[in-house]
């Protein structure tokens, strides 16, 4: 007993001593005197994507901090996912476990009951749906498999490959990959914009780039002392590095270079991001996904109609009414986009991947029902522009689901984050000292729910997209046109 107590006391003393020494070393150590190139910061993600190194390093930290519970709560417990889902900054696909893994028609029980709608004139008695089957179908479609497509999008090509490998290992198929950026068109756009600037004054441009390489912030302590620390230093020459990389790489593959964010106020789908062939492929994919959404909506409406009829039958004793409401279901035509060459419903892989930056997405307006971004605003070049772009591609009734980290409530915590921000950016590729409250405010999002913990540095946010009145009117007009075409 005495030996055990000595071990406990000794271990406690060593732990306290080591913790105190670590805190003192962090407090007294000078801030980093180096800068972090934006491309070097982004390339660190390719290093962390090898063998899912990023997820392995952060898994224990997220468990102890309760962030994995936040992920499960947002993506599964609260039932916020629906329709077409876009996750930006997907990383190695760490949220895969919390997503549904199949389209609703993949369930054998659902397929058995769907045969009633495909050929109502030859319905077998054993395949006819009862009240329990109708309830099961609604439960399965609305709650268990509410998604039509889940796109795992990341700017890092290495992270995208990690997502592809995870889906192949878990689900056994290669996910659809959206067309990559058109390197040649982006390069010509950058050259056309930079050539006049270079011809005017090369020396002035180099001097401006050198000035933007360092960004300092003054911190005033309680005793009145002032200290300058480096915060989010950027190299300012992303486009020049891109031109050099594409000149060396004749193939122009996005796996070898990092496409810069074009400094333009146009929406992503208005920028020269894709070639004509890729734009046609994107439009074809959009058409296929809309067919999935329409098919799901038809099935849901039919099931709700049957559920309503069953309630009427149970509430009345009129046999003639019961016979009328228990008639065979109407046949529902399956969209041609969902059929194979034998006119059978083919498998609909739920997951897809894309190698895009959140600030410039080639998707049309109002393309997604749900946007997911977890620990992405700290790594985007322009987080406010990224949120505006995500609002553009999100439908007016959709949601943005965000879990982020940044500045906290107390000055001491923020001073620590500011001091060691360059080192964290060099190792992990993200700026952990960004003011998330200011970013959300400037983006115009309408926040529905906001929770914070860890001294205010971790944020759980559910928001509505920012939409102008013109965008609302345009969206309502498009919906009315679609309803009119469907009725015709």
């Amino acid at each position: 007993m005495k030996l055990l107590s000595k071990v406990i006391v000794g271990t406690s003393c060593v732990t306290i001593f080591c913790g105190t020494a670590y805190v003192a070393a962090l407090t007294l150590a000078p801030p980093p005197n180096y800068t972090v190139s934006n491309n070097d910061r982004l390339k660190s993600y390719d290093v962390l994507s090898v063998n899912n190194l990023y997820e392995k390093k952060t898994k224990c930290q997220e468990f102890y901090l309760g962030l994995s519970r936040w992920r499960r709560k947002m993506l599964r417990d609260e039932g916020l996912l629906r329709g077409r889902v876009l996750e930006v900054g997907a990383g190695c696909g760490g949220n895969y476990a919390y997503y549904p893994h199949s389209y609703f028609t993949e369930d054998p029980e659902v397929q058995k009951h769907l045969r009633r709608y495909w050929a109502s004139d030859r319905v077998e008695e054993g395949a006819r749906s009862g009240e329990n089957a109708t309830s099961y179908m609604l439960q399965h479609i609305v709650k268990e498999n509410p998604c039509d497509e889940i796109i795992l999008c990341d700017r890092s090509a290495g992270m995208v490959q990690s997502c592809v490998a995870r889906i192949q290992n878990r689900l056994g198929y290669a996910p659809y990959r959206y067309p990559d950026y058109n390197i040649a068109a982006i390069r010509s756009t950058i050259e056309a914009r930079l050539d006049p600037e270079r011809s005017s004054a090369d020396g002035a441009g180099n001097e401006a780039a050198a000035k933007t390489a360092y960004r300092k912030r003054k911190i005033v302590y309680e005793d009145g002392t002032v200290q300058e620390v480096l915060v989010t230093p950027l190299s300012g020459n992303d486009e020049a590095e891109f031109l050099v990389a594409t000149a060396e790489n004749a193939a122009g593959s996005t796996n070898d270079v990092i496409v810069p964010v074009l400094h333009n106020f146009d929406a992503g789908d208005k920028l020269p991001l894709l070639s004509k062939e890729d734009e046609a492929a994107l439009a074809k994919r959009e058409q296929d996904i809309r067919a999935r959404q329409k098919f799901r909506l038809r099935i849901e409406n039919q099931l709700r109609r049957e559920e309503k009829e069953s309630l009427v039958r149970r509430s009345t004793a009129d046999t003639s009414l019961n016979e009328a409401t228990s008639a065979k279901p109407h046949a529902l035509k399956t969209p041609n986009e969902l059929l194979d060459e034998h006119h059978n419903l083919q498998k609909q892989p739920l997951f897809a991947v894309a190698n895009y930056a959140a600030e410039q997405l080639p998707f049309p307006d109002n393309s997604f029902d749900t946007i997911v971004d977890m620990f992405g605003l700290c790594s985007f070049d322009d987080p406010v522009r990224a949120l505006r772009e995500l609002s553009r591609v999100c439908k007016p009734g959709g949601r943005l689901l965000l879990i982020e980290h940044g500045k906290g409530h107390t000055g001491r915590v923020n001073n620590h984050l500011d001091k060691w921000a360059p080192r964290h950016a060099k190792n992990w590729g993200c700026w952990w000292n960004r003011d998330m409250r200011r970013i959300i405010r400037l983006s115009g999002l309408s926040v529905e729910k906001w929770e914070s913990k860890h001294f205010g540095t971790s944020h759980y946010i559910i928001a509505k997209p920012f939409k102008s009145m013109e965008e609302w009117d345009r969206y309502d007009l498009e919906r009315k046109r679609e309803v009119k075409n469907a009725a015709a």
Side-chain angles (χ1 to χ4, degrees), residues 273-438:
L273 300 177
L274 303 178
S275 63
K276 296 296 183 182
E277 295 78 8
D278 292 340
E279 289 180 356
L282 179 62
K284 177 63 169 57
R285 180 67 177 181
E286 296 282 339
Q287 183 180 358
D288 295 342
I289 299 303
R290 281 196 296 269
R292 288 189 192 181
Q293 295 172 333
K294 292 179 181 179
F295 183 60
R296 174 191 293 273
L297 184 60
R298 293 175 188 173
I299 297 298
E300 289 182 3
N301 291 338
Q302 180 67 23
L303 291 173
R304 289 192 173 94
R305 189 180 301 112
E306 291 183 9
E307 190 178 40
K308 184 177 180 181
E309 291 173 354
S310 66
L311 292 177
V312 172
R313 287 198 302 269
R314 282 185 292 178
S315 60
T316 181
D318 191 346
T319 57
S320 61
L321 181 60
N322 288 341
E323 293 177 357
T325 55
S326 61
K328 293 181 180 180
H330 298 286
L332 294 178
K333 182 180 179 182
T334 305
N336 295 329
E337 293 83 358
L338 306 184
L339 300 177
D340 57 14
E341 60 274 10
H342 302 292
H343 298 283
N344 296 323
L345 183 65
Q346 60 183 352
K347 289 187 176 181
Q348 304 296 325
L350 188 64
F351 285 94
V353 296
N355 186 198
Y356 301 142
E359 295 91 339
Q360 49 189 21
L361 299 171
F363 302 108
D365 298 348
N366 308 321
S367 298
F368 299 94
D369 301 279
T370 310
I371 305 290
V372 179
D373 175 28
M374 298 194 177
F375 303 107
L377 295 180
C378 57
S379 60
F380 298 151
D381 291 358
D382 189 343
V384 176
R385 176 178 170 181
L387 288 178
R388 290 289 180 91
E389 184 73 355
L390 296 180
S391 294
R392 180 187 68 82
V393 300
C394 185
K395 294 180 181 178
R399 284 191 176 94
L400 279 81
L401 311 180
L402 312 175
I403 295 180
E404 306 293 344
H405 66 160
K407 287 185 177 295
H409 298 311
T410 62
R412 293 185 182 274
V413 173
N414 293 336
N415 292 341
H416 174 80
L417 297 178
D418 291 337
K419 180 178 181 180
W420 298 105
R423 187 186 71 170
H424 189 80
K426 181 180 180 180
N427 296 334
W428 295 97
C430 73
W431 300 109
W432 66 357
N433 62 334
R434 285 181 173 173
D435 191 347
M436 292 301 161
R437 297 170 183 81
R438 181 173 180 270

Side-chain angles (χ1 to χ4, degrees), residues 124-138:
E124 299 177 2
E125 188 68 25
R128 294 183 63 177
S129 176
E131 297 176 4
N132 294 336
T134 302
S135 301
Y136 171 80
M137 288 275 287
L138 280 174

Side-chain angles (χ1 to χ4, degrees), residues 46-346:
D46 291 333
V47 177
L48 293 171
S49 66
V50 178
N51 296 324
N52 291 340
L53 184 60
Y54 182 86
E55 185 178 355
K56 292 177 182 177
K57 285 188 173 183
T58 59
K59 190 173 184 179
C60 292
Q61 299 177 14
E62 290 197 359
F63 176 78
Y64 292 131
L65 294 175
L67 298 177
S68 57
R69 290 190 291 273
W70 262 6
R71 291 177 186 263
R72 183 175 63 251
K73 174 184 176 182
M74 176 173 284
L75 299 179
R76 182 183 297 174
D77 297 343
E78 293 202 14
L80 299 173
L81 290 178
R82 64 182 179 87
R84 195 181 184 192
V85 180
L86 171 67
E87 181 182 354
V88 292
C92 299
N95 292 327
Y96 164 84
Y98 308 113
Y99 286 126
H101 294 162
S102 61
Y103 190 56
F104 78 96
T105 57
E106 302 298 321
D107 191 313
E109 291 294 327
V110 174
Q111 293 180 2
K112 183 180 69 174
H113 296 297
L114 285 179
R115 295 191 187 99
R116 304 179 303 117
Y117 305 133
W118 295 333
S120 64
D121 54 339
R122 45 189 174 86
V123 175
E124 299 177 2
E125 188 68 25
R128 294 183 63 177
S129 176
E131 297 176 4
N132 294 336
T134 302
S135 301
Y136 171 80
M137 288 275 287
L138 280 174
Q139 173 80 11
H140 183 82
I141 295 175
V142 178
K143 294 185 178 181
E144 296 183 12
N145 287 296
C147 301
D148 300 310
E149 185 188 34
I150 300 175
I151 303 176
L152 303 180
C153 177
D154 201 283
R155 189 178 179 183
S156 168
M159 293 294 186
V160 174
Q161 292 299 327
S162 296
C163 293
V164 172
R166 180 186 291 267
I167 295 172
Q168 286 179 330
N169 294 335
R170 301 292 179 87
L171 299 179
Y173 65 82
Y176 175 83
R177 176 158 182 160
Y178 279 82
D180 292 331
Y181 287 137
N182 186 6
I183 299 296
I186 294 176
R187 178 181 173 84
S188 62
T189 302
I190 295 175
E191 287 177 343
R193 191 172 64 85
L194 292 182
D195 282 343
E197 299 176 2
R198 291 176 180 175
S199 60
S200 61
D202 292 336
N206 295 333
E207 183 180 356
K211 288 182 179 180
T212 58
Y214 296 89
R215 296 185 182 182
K216 295 184 178 181
R217 176 185 174 185
K218 293 183 177 180
I219 299 178
V220 181
Y221 294 96
E222 296 178 355
D223 57 356
T225 59
V226 180
Q227 180 185 7
E228 286 187 350
V229 298
L230 297 175
V231 293
T232 62
L234 301 176
S235 64
N237 59 347
D238 299 341
E239 294 179 343
E241 292 183 14
F242 170 74
L243 294 178
V244 173
T246 52
E248 297 174 353
N249 178 23
S253 173
T254 55
N255 294 332
D256 301 321
V257 298
I258 299 176
V259 177
V261 175
L262 300 179
H263 299 287
N264 199 316
F265 292 103
D266 293 334
D269 60 339
K270 302 299 187 296
L271 296 174
L273 300 177
L274 303 178
S275 63
K276 296 296 183 182
E277 295 78 8
D278 292 340
E279 289 180 356
L282 179 62
K284 177 63 169 57
R285 180 67 177 181
E286 296 282 339
Q287 183 180 358
D288 295 342
I289 299 303
R290 281 196 296 269
R292 288 189 192 181
Q293 295 172 333
K294 292 179 181 179
F295 183 60
R296 174 191 293 273
L297 184 60
R298 293 175 188 173
I299 297 298
E300 289 182 3
N301 291 338
Q302 180 67 23
L303 291 173
R304 289 192 173 94
R305 189 180 301 112
E306 291 183 9
E307 190 178 40
K308 184 177 180 181
E309 291 173 354
S310 66
L311 292 177
V312 172
R313 287 198 302 269
R314 282 185 292 178
S315 60
T316 181
D318 191 346
T319 57
S320 61
L321 181 60
N322 288 341
E323 293 177 357
T325 55
S326 61
K328 293 181 180 180
H330 298 286
L332 294 178
K333 182 180 179 182
T334 305
N336 295 329
E337 293 83 358
L338 306 184
L339 300 177
D340 57 14
E341 60 274 10
H342 302 292
H343 298 283
N344 296 323
L345 183 65
Q346 60 183 352

